[in-house]
């Protein structure tokens, strides 16, 4: 806790003590003067003041003592790692004072360099939002790695502020080399976190700012922190972001986009599109994937690539996920009332939603609100998400399945831990990435890989669907490989609810096909021949 907060708490303590003392003095003076008993109203008022004073006094003492105890523990912890607690600063003034002294000692031919390091959770919060135990676990790992990587550099100094921002100071003889070293350090740090199941998946934010000759330490620190959290809102990766003046304009644009998305959610400018899925076993459409589009009042219909990346970084993606799920449930409720055919709708879950503590209760409450059968919904996670922190993801998937939903692993084949994900996480459906489908007509290896994936998934009791099917020939080849279902432009383009409903009622693929043509179509496969 910062020194400013401690002073504020101490002020509360004094206020409570003053109120209590004032009441005591007032009563004692009246008794000493032989005054008559106070009127009932005044007695009640004084009793209330005494009670309020005692509460404030107790609260101030308790919080102040706990804050001081945490500060003492933090400093003792730092001493155990570094031999000194000078790395911890209680407020900005102390940090700026130390930076100013270090800068004055910088040798000629070197550049004072500030590097920023912070932790961002999947829910978009800071490290403190993970709770005390996780905060200490992450901080301990960070400090050990920082000491091992940079501790031998005589110009290196580390500062940690009360927001758990790490500020690394160097007198760099070569700025580019120092930045490359910092990037490599962050990469190994990320690998260390991913191997530990006791720490939730987090992202590391990196920033840098070389201090100019006449620049104030306060300005340099402000720019470093600004770049650090600009990185959080503008990127998914943990790449190093060096402060640049253009960030101010970009930050203004992002704030404008943020307000536009907020308005779009409130005005329901976001529209759900459905892309139908076709069963090769039943020769019929059985479901669809829910996709989102933005019907912008000035720019027209915008694809998700325009706004989803920002939402993923800023944390607004959780609101988007909730919006999509709510509207999908409302549409299913509408279809049930109209007695339309039952379809299974796939809904994508973002990384941030998966790590949102309220996810399960939200899904359950929304499903009940619209009286939706959970078997009408399939929750999709990307393979890259499933590959990170498999223990946690597995527990979430089991809770989702416990509500009655099916679950799918999306974009299968583009990640690095595919088989591990299949082994450890109980998915119901596997979706083969479009990159495999694109070459299946002309590349025997692609076809063999698709066949292997289908066989493996079936052996594990999973259904398999291929994404991105654009031609009849691709569909015929995949059918010959015993694929279960297909999603792609050949069968259906994404469309709004009204057009999706009409398409299910009248489409060219559910009309009866002659047995002779079907046999000839399936048999034709130039790659197999």
């Amino acid at each position: 806790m910062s020194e400013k907060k401690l002073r504020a708490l101490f002020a509360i303590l004094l206020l409570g003590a003053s109120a209590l003392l004032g009441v005591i003095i007032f009563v004692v003076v009246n008794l000493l003067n032989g005054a008559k008993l106070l009127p009932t109203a005044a007695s009640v008022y004084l009793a209330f003041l005494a009670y309020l004073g005692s509460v404030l006094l107790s609260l101030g003492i308790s919080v102040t003592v706990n804050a001081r105890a945490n500060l003492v523990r933090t400093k003792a912890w730092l001493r155990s790692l570094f031999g000194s607690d000078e790395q911890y600063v209680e407020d900005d003034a102390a940090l700026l004072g130390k930076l100013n002294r270090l800068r004055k000692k910088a040798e000629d031919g070197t550049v004072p360099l500030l590097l920023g390091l912070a932790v961002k959770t999947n829910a978009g919060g800071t490290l403190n939002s993970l709770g005390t135990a996780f905060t200490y676990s992450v901080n301990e790992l960070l400090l050990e790695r920082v000491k091992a990587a940079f501790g031998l550099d005589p110009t290196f100094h580390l500062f940690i502020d009360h927001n758990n921002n790490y500020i690394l100071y160097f007198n760099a003889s070569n700025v580019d080399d120092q930045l490359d070293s910092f990037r490599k350090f962050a990469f190994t740090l990320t690998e260390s976190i991913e191997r530990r199941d006791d720490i939730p998946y987090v992202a590391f934010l990196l920033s840098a700012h070389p201090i100019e000759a006449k620049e104030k330490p306060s300005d340099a620190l402000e720019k470093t922190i600004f770049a650090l959290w600009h990185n959080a809102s503008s990127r998914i990766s943990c790449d190093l972001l060096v402060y640049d003046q253009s960030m101010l304009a970009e930050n203004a644009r992002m704030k404008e986009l943020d307000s536009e998305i907020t308005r779009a959610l409130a005005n329901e400018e976001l529209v759900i599109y459905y892309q139908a899925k076709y069963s090769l076993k039943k020769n019929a459409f059985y479901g669809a994937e829910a996709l989102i589009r933005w019907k912008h009042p000035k720019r027209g219909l915008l694809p998700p690539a325009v706004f989803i990346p920002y939402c993923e970084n800023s944390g607004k993606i959780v609101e988007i996920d909730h919006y999509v799920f709510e509207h999908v449930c409302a549409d299913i409720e509408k279809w049930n009332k109209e007695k339309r055919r039952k379809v299974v709708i796939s809904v994508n879950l973002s990384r941030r939603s998966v790590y949102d503590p309220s996810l399960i209760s939200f899904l359950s409450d929304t499903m009940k609100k619209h009286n939706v059968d959970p078997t009408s919904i399939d929750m999709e996670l990307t393979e890259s998400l499933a590959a990170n922190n498999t223990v946690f993801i597995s527990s979430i998937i089991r809770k989702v399945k416990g509500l009655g939903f099916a679950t799918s692993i999306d974009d299968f084949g583009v990640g690095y831990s595919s088989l591990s994900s299949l082994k450890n996480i109980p998915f119901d459906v596997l979706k083969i990435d479009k990159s495999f489908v694109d070459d299946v007509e002309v590349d025997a290896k692609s076809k063999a890989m698709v066949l292997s994936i289908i066989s493996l998934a079936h052996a594990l009791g999973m259904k398999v669907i291929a994404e991105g099917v654009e031609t009849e020939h691709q569909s015929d080849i995949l059918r010959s490989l015993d694929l279960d279902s297909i999603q792609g432009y050949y069968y259906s383009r994404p469309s709004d609810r009204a057009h999706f409903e009409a398409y299910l009622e009248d489409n060219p693929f559910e009309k009866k096909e002659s047995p002779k043509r079907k046999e000839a179509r399936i048999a034709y496969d130039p790659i197999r021949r």
Side-chain angles (χ1 to χ4, degrees):
M1 180 174 290
S2 69
E3 194 67 33
K4 288 182 180 178
K5 290 185 179 179
L6 287 173
R7 285 198 292 267
L9 289 171
F10 187 68
I12 293 175
L13 187 152
L14 289 178
L15 181 63
S18 299
L20 184 60
L21 183 61
V23 172
I24 293 173
I25 291 173
F26 183 83
V27 173
V28 169
V29 168
N30 275 276
L31 289 175
L32 290 177
N33 289 336
K36 296 181 180 180
L37 292 176
L38 295 170
T40 302
S43 299
V44 172
Y45 177 68
L46 288 174
F48 172 74
L49 284 180
Y51 172 75
L52 179 62
S54 62
V55 169
L56 290 173
L57 182 63
S58 301
L59 177 64
I61 291 174
S62 174
V63 176
T64 303
V65 168
N66 287 334
R68 280 296 180 186
N70 286 334
L71 188 59
V72 169
R73 282 197 298 270
T74 300
K75 290 193 171 187
W77 173 44
L78 287 164
R79 281 195 299 272
S80 69
L81 288 169
F82 284 87
S84 168
D85 60 14
E86 289 299 308
Q87 284 78 17
Y88 184 83
V89 290
E90 299 172 28
D91 55 27
D92 293 342
L95 174 56
L96 291 173
K98 292 182 179 182
L99 289 177
N100 196 37
R101 290 192 293 273
L102 287 172
R103 182 184 173 184
K104 290 178 179 178
K105 296 178 182 179
E107 299 178 0
D108 293 338
T110 63
V111 178
L113 177 65
L114 286 182
L115 298 173
L117 172 64
V119 176
K120 172 185 174 184
T121 70
N122 281 278
T126 61
L127 182 57
N128 291 333
S129 65
L130 294 176
T132 303
F134 285 132
T135 299
Y136 268 69
S137 294
V138 175
N139 269 331
E140 187 171 20
L141 178 64
L142 282 173
L143 289 169
E144 289 174 352
R145 295 292 188 272
V146 167
K147 183 179 180 181
F150 306 111
L152 296 179
D153 186 335
T155 71
F156 163 70
H157 289 78
L158 169 70
F159 305 101
I160 310 169
D161 68 13
H162 55 276
N163 288 320
N164 284 293
N165 293 320
Y166 286 65
I167 306 299
L168 287 70
Y169 176 93
F170 296 89
N171 290 330
S173 55
N174 187 305
V175 172
D176 290 337
D177 288 347
Q178 192 65 66
L179 296 181
D180 286 341
S181 176
F182 195 39
R183 288 187 181 96
K184 292 175 183 177
F185 161 72
F187 180 76
T188 59
L189 194 61
T190 302
E191 287 187 326
S192 300
I193 288 287
E194 289 177 350
R195 287 196 295 266
R196 292 181 57 160
D197 290 331
D198 61 323
I199 298 176
Y201 181 82
V202 295
F204 294 101
L205 311 175
L206 310 176
S207 69
H209 177 64
I211 304 177
E212 299 174 1
K214 296 182 180 181
E215 188 174 21
K216 295 179 181 179
S218 57
D219 292 339
L221 179 62
E222 183 179 342
K223 290 175 181 177
T224 305
I225 298 297
F226 181 84
L228 197 62
W229 293 103
H230 182 79
N231 202 356
S233 60
S234 63
R235 301 184 180 191
I236 299 176
S237 68
C238 303
D239 192 16
L240 176 66
L241 188 63
V242 180
Y243 176 83
D244 185 87
Q245 193 73 16
S246 64
M247 291 179 189
L248 298 175
E250 186 179 350
N251 189 60
R253 287 195 298 271
M254 287 193 296
K255 286 184 177 179
E256 182 180 358
L257 178 60
D258 188 272
S259 63
E260 284 192 333
I261 293 172
T262 300
R263 184 208 64 223
L265 287 165
N267 296 341
E268 299 211 345
E269 296 171 9
L270 302 179
V271 182
I272 310 302
Y273 270 47
Y274 294 99
Q275 185 173 29
K277 298 178 181 179
Y278 187 79
S279 170
L280 295 177
K281 306 298 184 182
K282 298 180 180 179
N283 292 317
F285 289 104
Y286 69 96
E289 179 177 2
L291 306 168
I292 192 164
R293 302 290 186 267
W294 184 357
K295 192 174 287 186
H296 196 282
K298 295 180 180 179
R299 300 168 62 188
L301 194 65
L302 302 179
V306 172
F307 58 97
I308 290 298
Y310 169 76
C311 292
E312 288 176 335
N313 288 308
S314 66
K316 261 192 158 36
I317 193 65
V318 176
E319 294 180 63
I320 298 290
D321 287 349
H322 286 195
Y323 182 95
V324 171
F325 188 78
E326 178 84 38
H327 282 71
V328 165
C329 286
D331 286 347
I332 294 175
E333 181 181 27
K334 171 183 177 293
W335 295 331
N336 289 339
K337 289 179 179 178
E338 295 173 353
K339 299 190 182 305
R340 295 180 181 271
R341 76 161 82 175
K342 180 178 178 179
V343 289
V344 178
I345 304 299
S346 297
V347 179
N348 292 282
L349 282 178
S350 68
R351 180 186 302 277
R352 295 212 181 192
S353 287
V354 168
Y355 283 88
D356 181 5
S358 66
L359 172 65
I360 301 302
S361 59
F362 168 76
L363 296 177
S364 177
D365 293 345
T366 307
M367 174 181 64
K368 293 175 182 177
K369 171 184 172 182
H370 294 282
N371 195 29
V372 170
D373 182 351
T375 60
S376 299
I377 296 178
D378 177 13
M379 308 303 298
E380 287 191 8
L381 279 74
T382 62
E383 182 195 357
S384 59
L385 173 56
N388 284 303
N389 203 341
T390 55
V391 174
F392 176 79
I393 297 297
S394 180
S395 69
I396 291 296
I397 291 298
R398 293 180 191 280
K399 290 177 182 178
V400 170
K401 288 171 67 68
L403 295 176
F405 300 117
T407 57
S408 298
I409 179 169
D410 197 7
D411 300 333
F412 186 83
V414 297
Y416 297 100
S417 304
S418 306
L419 296 181
S420 175
S421 301
L422 292 183
K423 173 178 174 292
N424 296 314
I425 304 176
F427 289 110
D428 300 297
V429 179
L430 181 150
K431 296 184 73 173
I432 300 176
D433 187 69
K434 182 180 185 299
S435 59
F436 289 93
V437 175
D438 288 341
D439 298 329
V440 76
E441 293 177 283
V442 295
D443 183 13
K445 289 183 178 179
S446 293
K447 179 183 173 184
M449 291 182 69
V450 170
L451 177 60
S452 298
I453 292 172
I454 294 172
S455 300
L456 175 62
H458 285 168
L460 294 173
M462 302 170 66
K463 299 292 185 181
V464 186
I465 180 170
E467 297 181 288
V469 177
E470 298 182 352
T471 68
E472 182 179 11
H473 190 206
Q474 288 177 339
S475 174
D476 292 342
I477 293 173
L478 293 169
R479 187 190 294 268
S480 72
L481 300 179
D482 199 28
L483 183 73
D484 296 296
S485 304
I486 281 178
Q487 178 183 342
Y489 279 13
Y490 174 66
Y491 283 98
S492 170
R493 289 177 176 269
S495 58
D496 61 26
R497 185 186 66 197
H499 287 90
F500 172 67
E501 293 171 352
Y503 187 75
L504 290 184
E505 295 298 324
D506 183 18
N507 64 82
F509 296 99
E510 293 180 319
K511 295 177 179 178
K512 189 173 181 180
E513 181 179 37
S514 68
K516 185 176 181 180
R517 182 184 181 281
K518 180 178 179 180
E519 181 181 354
R521 178 170 56 79
I522 295 176
Y524 178 70
D525 187 350
I527 293 181
R528 185 174 59 189
R529 292 182 178 181

